[in-house]
Amino acid sequence: MKKSAFDNKITKIKINEKTYSIELSIALKNTTENTLYKTKKIDFFKLYNIVTENYYSPIIFKEGKRKASNFIKSYMLVLDFDEGMELREAKKIFAEYKSIILTTRNHQKEKGGKTCDRFRVFLLLDEPIEDIDVYKTVMANIIAKYGADRACKDGARMFYNSPEGQEPIVSDGEYFPWRKF
């Protein structure tokens, strides 16, 4: 696998020489019609290579079938920002948490008559959320607080891959306090 800008960034910041193992679901085919996913175990701070090459979900699904009734757990939360919050503001807000911010393929492109920052924030949890109703409630409350895309709170959310070659914004703060939401 080729070395990415993200790998170079990790080398520079030396994330406490510690690994943060998570699981996420990777699409078997990068199409919106695909509902079959495989579970991949990786270090949270190596997420860049996975999410720039694959459609993915932060949710683990029973039998790898992406649908809400197959929700098993989620080790992280993904917030999708299509407008409203600027990248520099997100960098400040989420710096206190173990997080990664990556732009999306529509970042700074005209969409719906608007050109603005479009990005995702990946937030590492201290333990996975294992109940779909808790997940949906937590996501709804976090989305409301930060102004992220409201459609991304369901228990079967899939995300398109982010573009390669960008410089991720990486923070090694505290775990995200999802129980407060």
Side-chain angles (χ1 to χ4, degrees):
M1 182 177 270
K2 65 185 173 193
K3 201 161 190 180
S4 67
F6 185 72
D7 291 322
N8 293 333
K9 178 93 170 171
I10 290 301
T11 304
K12 290 178 198 168
I13 63 174
K14 302 248 188 218
I15 305 285
N16 295 328
E17 303 294 325
K18 192 172 177 185
T19 60
Y20 299 94
S21 185
I22 63 163
E23 293 179 349
L24 74 157
S25 295
I26 306 300
L28 295 182
K29 292 170 87 174
N30 284 349
T31 65
T32 53
E33 297 81 25
N34 176 55
T35 59
L36 297 177
Y37 283 66
K38 66 180 177 182
T39 301
K40 178 99 173 152
K41 188 173 187 170
I42 61 165
D43 180 81
F44 177 75
F45 289 107
K46 302 263 181 178
L47 196 59
Y48 176 87
N49 292 324
I50 300 297
V51 302
T52 56
E53 296 173 3
N54 302 280
Y55 288 14
Y56 61 92
S57 176
I59 299 163
I60 306 303
F61 302 104
K62 192 181 324 170
E63 299 175 4
K65 295 179 183 169
R66 185 178 65 85
K67 61 181 184 175
S69 62
N70 286 343
F71 179 99
I72 295 175
K73 61 186 160 187
S74 182
Y75 288 84
M76 66 179 158
L77 303 177
V78 180
L79 301 178
D80 188 50
F81 292 90
D82 290 326
E83 59 183 70
M85 186 180 289
E86 293 182 5
L87 204 49
R88 62 181 156 74
E89 182 183 2
K91 184 177 178 178
K92 289 177 190 173
I93 289 171
F94 297 106
E96 68 183 285
Y97 307 117
K98 292 182 187 329
S99 62
I100 301 169
I101 301 174
L102 292 170
T103 58
T104 63
R105 61 186 179 172
N106 290 316
H107 177 63
Q108 289 299 320
K109 292 182 182 173
E110 186 175 334
K111 183 178 172 186
K114 293 183 179 181
T115 303
C116 59
D117 290 339
R118 293 185 176 88
F119 55 94
R120 293 197 188 103
V121 178
F122 300 81
L123 298 164
L124 183 60
L125 308 177
D126 60 342
E127 63 180 284
I129 297 174
E130 297 180 329
D131 180 287
I132 190 168
D133 293 324
V134 171
Y135 177 85
K136 289 177 1 183
T137 299
V138 167
M139 285 300 292
N141 292 335
I142 292 168
I143 286 167
K145 177 175 179 164
Y146 296 113
D149 185 345
R150 293 181 307 229
C152 297
K153 66 180 178 266
D154 66 285
R157 178 57 44 186
M158 172 280 272
F159 294 98
Y160 297 111
N161 55 312
S162 290
E164 292 186 57
Q166 61 179 300
E167 185 73 16
I169 300 167
V170 179
S171 297
D172 187 27
E174 300 297 319
Y175 288 101
F176 188 76
W178 62 270
R179 287 173 195 81
K180 292 181 180 179
F181 293 89

